[in-house]
Amino acid sequence: MILRRLSMAARALKPIYQEHLPLETIVEKLNFGELFKSTLRIHQKHHSIAFLSNPVKSEKDFLVEGNNQNRAFNGDLVAFEILPRENWKLNKSELMTNLIGNSSKDTDLPVMGQDEISFQGKSYNALNVEDKFLQKTAKIVGIIEKIHPRKAMGYAKVYNKNFALFSPLDSRVPRMLIPLNEFPKGFAERPKDFADNLMIGLVKRWELNGKFAMGSLLKSIGGDKDDLVVAATEGILTENDLDDSPFPDDIDAGIPDFKITAEDVAKRQEFDFRKKCVFTIDPATARDLDDACSVEEIGDGLYEIGVHIADVSHFVYPGTVVDDIARERTTSVYLVQRVIPMLPRKLCELLCSLNPGVDRFSFSVIWKMKKDGTVLSTKFGKSLINSCCKLHYEHAQDMIEEPDRDFEEGYLPEIHNSFTHRDLSKKVNILHSIAKILRKQRKESGAISIQQCKIKFSLNKENSMPSGLGSYKSKESNKLIEEFMLKANVSVAEKLIEHYPDNAIIRRHSGPKENVLKETKKVLERMGIEMDTTSSKMMQAALNLLQHAPNQPTSVGLVVASLLAKCMSLATYHSSGEFDSPTDYFHYGLSMELYTHFTSPIRRYPDLIAHRQLQAILEGKKIGPMDFDEVSELAELSSQKKYASKLASDKSGELFLWLFLREQIAMHEPASVVDIGSESIDVLVLRYGVQVRIWRDYIGENIEFQAKEKHWAHITWPAEGDKKKCSKRYELLDNVVVIMKAGKQLFKINGALPRPDSTDELHVPNLEGFASEDV
């Protein structure tokens, strides 16, 4: 008995996890090729499954399961070792496909075991198959850099007399024990009163033998339904480590007033556009106007085309308080109901914003260009403009569709500086005709454009709650502006690299994750779709065929676009000196050899870096304003914050969709089947690009659910009242109607399939198409 107790005690004390290696040991082992490094990606729905990129790009990622994640968090840069072959996992799907493909006669599908497949009387397992049918596995041995903020939004309940158990809404963050004395008064005695209170927890440590992490309560952010948006938004920002604190009260005192001196005019004389027809095209709701355009016919079929960008660097100097704050934030954050600006309002909406009818400082890129888009010369310079009009995308679109239209008084915004709507319409159409050519040239060179549906909400003005749903619609006017902004960014990138090859700020896109793309190709093949993915050009050509083929359902193109989008890696910022060869600067998505961000300095700090570097070049400085290390550090931070901002924006969309559905009986939406599991069907809601998982429990009670290895599912509904039993077979790419409802848990969207013989009235309230907004 004593020995048994000692044995149990020993097992209880046995560490669950392995000690992390010291950083100096990790560096040494990385140099000798004994360890590898990668960013940890934990599965959103299965937290015990994670992946690490394989240094050999053509090979599959490494699988990291359960305790082998070793207390690392999603997004952390980690060091890992590859586990021995006997620890690799059988890739049942790939092996099964091979076996069935090589079988000369019809047969049932293989019997699936935990670690083996039995097929035609023979067993296959990790010991007797080729490496290509195995999933390599890995174990994390140390954390090189903690990227994840260790903060999470969730709910808490009393665990014992000393601790509460905090359960994050994001299952990728571990549950944590938090001391009861950190919770609001009454929590321990009346826990039910706090059951709906959203809270924010911080992981402080995670012991080697800890089933739970040890944490601290950062904030209890309320449970009142009226405050739910405020509370959830605060949680979203906190868990993504995004700063939404107010600017210091005295911040405006450190910002110079707007004043054009004789010296300013002299310096910008060559680029004084105040008497030219310069205008902005933006969303109707935009308040920070950071780009304007101009075009002049200069004879011989040539045009002078200008892109004029708000000169933020004129007001924001390195080392000032406002610059330090912008440098830490690196980006504005766009949520459904609010914007968290990178710069104070005095700058982003007043002094820097290219508002109509007033003089403004700008930084311009000027091309002498043929009407076929051929550039004969490029100039850069600090400039002065006076925008004659703030056009909305809708106004520009009307001018493109009806170039000779006489607009009725009051339809267009006020036009300043003696210009007329005919002047504007003529210039918009010149730019449009050249933009179409530039866009065609980009696509021919291999640029890929994966157009996905994106939800847009209309909000109640009184309480900012969602009152309607729609989707963004990108039109020719949007593409016009996009094309010239892209060209300006390329022109600036070429100038920066020419003068500062080791420390220019660049934007790079490495393209698709090859292993994910390979798996996606297999999924498409199961759908009966062959796609050439050897290059972005071939992929775009195949996508175009799917989206525009005669008699091809629109849903097919939307589904394929959604699947391909998940294969793409994120674009990132870099210092040019990080790479050995200029070919490594390549931006896959745009198919451009060089690219940077220059055109939005009001809302992106890397653009401000590009402005300062370009100005230093124009002033003849041989050394840029930042060295390699400083640019690299800021580029890495900007990439991280850009990604965090995207996550927060996406999560805000999920929140408002959940809030909208909560007020509906149910929404019936057209969808397409994209995956089939043993207990569920995944569908893509076509109107909004949202993927919903339909568990068998939500299909109906007492149903029969029979699935065959991601190929098809057969569902039989029991008889209801006078109705007869009905059944239906669902296959990949089948068009269905999905019933969308808000789940009990925040952000959770439940999907259900109606009976095939259902006569329920479709409930699709307040659905409209909204114009695209480039936020």
Side-chain angles (χ1 to χ4, degrees), residues 120-290:
Q120 294 187 352
K122 183 177 179 180
S123 294
Y124 298 85
N125 55 45
L127 299 177
N128 64 5
V129 300
E130 299 175 59
D131 283 2
K132 66 180 181 180
F133 298 124
L134 294 177
Q135 167 68 63
K136 294 180 180 180
T137 56
K139 178 173 69 176
I140 292 172
V141 297
I143 300 176
I144 300 171
E145 185 178 0
K146 294 180 178 179
I147 304 298
H148 191 283
R150 271 65 178 167
K151 301 171 186 174
M153 174 171 46
Y155 297 96
K157 62 182 180 181
V158 175
Y159 183 69
N160 58 29
K161 65 179 181 180
N162 295 316
F163 292 96
L165 180 62
F166 178 84
S167 299
L169 291 176
D170 184 348
S171 64
R172 295 171 297 180
V173 180
R175 290 182 293 172
M176 61 188 94
L177 294 177
I178 298 176
L180 281 175
N181 60 17
E182 296 186 14
F183 286 82
K185 186 178 180 180
F187 176 82
E189 297 77 20
R190 305 185 311 279
K192 289 185 179 180
D193 292 351
F194 296 84
D196 294 329
N197 274 38
L198 276 173
M199 299 181 182
I200 300 174
L202 168 69
V203 174
K204 301 192 77 173
R205 66 183 189 278
W206 198 352
E207 305 292 356
L208 293 177
N209 61 349
K211 179 182 177 182
F212 305 118
M214 303 305 296
S216 181
L217 184 69
L218 291 182
K219 190 174 289 187
S220 176
I221 49 180
D224 191 325
K225 290 184 178 180
D226 293 336
D227 297 329
L228 186 58
V229 172
V230 175
T233 299
E234 186 175 352
I236 290 169
L237 295 171
T238 302
E239 65 183 7
N240 285 290
D241 207 25
L242 295 169
D243 181 10
D244 70 331
S245 59
F247 289 98
D249 292 338
D250 60 349
I251 191 77
D252 287 356
I255 300 172
D257 291 327
F258 186 90
K259 182 180 180 182
I260 299 178
T261 65
E263 183 182 6
D264 291 324
V265 174
K267 286 182 177 179
R268 300 171 187 252
Q269 187 172 7
E270 183 184 356
F271 295 89
D272 190 342
F273 285 80
R274 287 178 292 177
K275 294 184 180 179
K276 300 287 182 72
C277 185
V278 178
F279 52 91
T280 61
I281 304 177
D282 284 282
T285 55
R287 291 187 291 183
D288 51 346
L289 313 181
D290 51 14

Side-chain angles (χ1 to χ4, degrees), residues 58 138 260 332 424 426 453 455 467 475 563 590 682 692 719 750 771:
S58 59
I260 299 178
S332 295
L424 283 173
K426 180 180 179 181
C453 295
I455 294 180
S467 57
K475 296 187 177 181
L563 293 173
L590 298 174
D682 286 359
V692 177
N750 295 330

Side-chain angles (χ1 to χ4, degrees), residues 46 679-681 693-700 705 748 751:
H46 304 287
E679 297 285 328
S680 63
I681 294 176
R693 174 159 292 179
I694 306 168
W695 292 99
R696 63 176 297 158
D697 293 346
Y698 287 98
I699 296 173
F705 188 101
K748 182 71 174 178

Side-chain angles (χ1 to χ4, degrees), residues 282-352:
D282 284 282
T285 55
R287 291 187 291 183
D288 51 346
L289 313 181
D290 51 14
D291 58 82
C293 294
S294 64
V295 57
E296 299 288 336
E297 296 182 66
I298 55 177
D300 297 326
L302 300 179
Y303 298 94
E304 181 183 82
I305 295 176
V307 166
H308 314 279
I309 307 301
D311 188 4
V312 176
S313 62
H314 179 84
F315 298 95
V316 180
Y317 303 103
T320 59
V321 173
V322 67
D323 184 65
D324 289 344
I325 293 174
R327 185 176 176 138
E328 285 299 315
R329 294 189 176 192
T330 79
T331 182
S332 295
V333 181
Y334 292 84
L335 307 176
V336 171
Q337 84 287 18
R338 59 180 288 214
V339 177
I340 301 162
M342 183 182 79
L343 296 173
R345 181 175 179 272
K346 181 178 178 180
L347 284 171
C348 62
E349 295 183 18
L350 300 174
L351 301 185
C352 295

Side-chain angles (χ1 to χ4, degrees), residues 575-701:
S575 176
S576 54
E578 294 175 28
F579 305 102
D580 297 328
S581 168
T583 57
D584 293 328
Y585 304 154
F586 190 69
H587 194 295
Y588 178 91
L590 298 174
S591 191
M592 291 176 173
E593 294 179 3
L594 272 176
Y595 193 68
T596 192
H597 271 165
F598 171 81
T599 52
S600 293
I602 289 177
R603 58 188 177 96
R604 294 187 305 226
Y605 197 80
D607 300 58
L608 184 52
I609 298 174
H611 278 230
R612 289 170 178 167
Q613 290 185 331
L614 183 57
Q615 179 60 21
I617 292 169
L618 297 180
E619 291 173 355
K621 295 178 181 178
K622 294 185 178 180
I623 299 176
M626 294 180 180
D627 62 20
F628 167 79
D629 289 336
E630 190 175 8
V631 175
S632 291
E633 183 181 333
L634 279 169
E636 184 177 0
L637 177 63
S638 297
S639 296
Q640 292 171 7
K641 290 294 186 182
K642 182 79 172 174
Y643 179 54
S645 173
K646 179 185 182 304
L647 292 178
S649 180
D650 291 346
K651 204 68 176 176
S652 178
E654 290 178 28
L655 170 65
F656 274 76
L657 178 58
W658 182 84
L659 289 168
F660 182 80
L661 290 174
R662 190 181 62 166
E663 303 302 317
Q664 310 300 320
I665 301 170
M667 279 178 57
H668 293 63
E669 280 292 327
S672 191
V673 176
V674 293
D675 198 9
I676 293 171
S678 60
E679 297 285 328
S680 63
I681 294 176
D682 286 359
V683 299
L684 180 72
V685 181
L686 301 173
R687 201 189 309 250
Y688 310 117
V690 176
Q691 191 164 314
V692 177
R693 174 159 292 179
I694 306 168
W695 292 99
R696 63 176 297 158
D697 293 346
Y698 287 98
I699 296 173
E701 294 183 2

